[in-house]
Amino acid sequence: MAQARGLGLLLALLLPVVSASMPGTVVRLNKAALSYVSEIGKAPLQRALKVTVPHFLDRSGGVPQPTRIRILNVHVPRLQLKFIAGFGVRLQAAANFTFKVFRAPEPLELTLPAELLADTRVTQSSIKTPVVSISTCSSFVGHASESDGSNSTSHARLVLVQKHIKAVLSNKLCLSVSNLVQDLNVHLGTLIGLNPVGPESQIRYSMVSVPTVTSDFISLDVNAVLFLLGKPIILPTDATPFVLSRHVGTEGAMATVGLSQHLFDSALLLLQKSGALNLDITGQLRSDANPLNTSVLGRLIPEVARQFPEPMPVVLKVRLGATPVATLHTDNATLRLQPFMEVLAAASNSAFQSLFSLDVVVNLSLQLSVSKVKLQGTTSVLGDVQFTVASSNMGFIDTDQVRALVGTVFEKPLLDHLNALLGMGIALPGVVNLHYIAPEIFVHEGYVVISSELFYQS
């Protein structure tokens, strides 16, 4: 079972399982991915083909004599995987078996070549995961020869031993492949679990339909659902389905992943609903890094100076009532935040008094990156932060004067907070132990494409 799981995980590279909600993600595995699996899949396949051979009953002496036979080694010099358009994947493999025949007066070693050919079909299960089935499988076992090149064994005896071994392999090789596929299906069935996004949020992927297979790639249309406290984040359904063009990303990449605007909108709505974007910026007395206190504000707002003759700390309470907006244009991704900021000061009784509030508009440049299995982001401010007075308990507020002071204190904590959240990342479609490496990210009108190599960590 462990051997089957090893190859099953490798075969799972062909079928990145993804989970549940609005259509908006496409995972495409290209020919280069098949080449990679062909290379790293040889060792697990060798272990899987090391089957048990029952005793050979030698009847040449009249009385049947059981002869023990054991496979010493299986070497797979060639493993090829090829897409079959409209169907699935074809597996072709060549294997060389080394057997030890425990016969008197001394053991005999035999080598025997074999060929495997299997066509697999990929469909969709009732729980929205891929299901792999073998459509056809055949094996061809060649002629055995003695490893030392001698002819110490009689031809008749060698023919009988070879016939026994060939009969065993003919029955067991395709069965071994079938067992691998069954174990793979069990493994794939576990991949609909939730991947954490934050302490109280998760993302789940699921297939939308049967995979599309061409001669160049296998493509899975995927739903991504984000959950907050166990409840799905629901956006209005986009009447236009997300379709990934054939000619996007880097030519020759193993994987091409398309992420629609819908996924970004869902992630931002999740951050807003969870309150993760909210923050409090606390002023400190005698701090050059954060000079915001009533004494400093009093120089700009006379009523603050009158009500707070002694300097008191000021707090900026920043709340995101409106969902941030991500805009994806060719080679350019931006975010727009519209937080509500309340400015409060500590009163003498340790309570906080509201001084005034501001409506804020912040435009940010969004830079995307991929680390192993997660899509991450960093932001920087574009242009000036816009402040508008929403209400005031301190009389007239000169917005231009307040902007100079509040903006200085506001921008850095906001960016630090936002970049920390975006740096946590969101899990991309994938399978256990599979990482994206050397990714390239392309921003298009309304969607993002990731072209990447793959690395399977066994």
Side-chain angles (χ1 to χ4, degrees), residues 296-323:
V296 175
L297 274 179
R299 299 171 196 165
L300 306 177
I301 307 171
E303 186 61 23
V304 173
R306 189 186 71 80
Q307 293 192 26
F308 296 89
E310 296 296 326
M312 298 297 287
V314 168
V315 173
L316 304 182
K317 190 179 288 291
V318 182
R319 298 293 180 264
L320 265 291
T323 304

Side-chain angles (χ1 to χ4, degrees), residues 133-155:
S133 60
I134 296 178
S135 176
T136 60
C137 180
S138 60
S139 61
F140 171 78
V141 182
H143 296 290
S145 61
E146 295 186 41
S147 297
D148 59 7
S150 66
N151 293 309
S152 58
T153 304
S154 68
H155 176 73

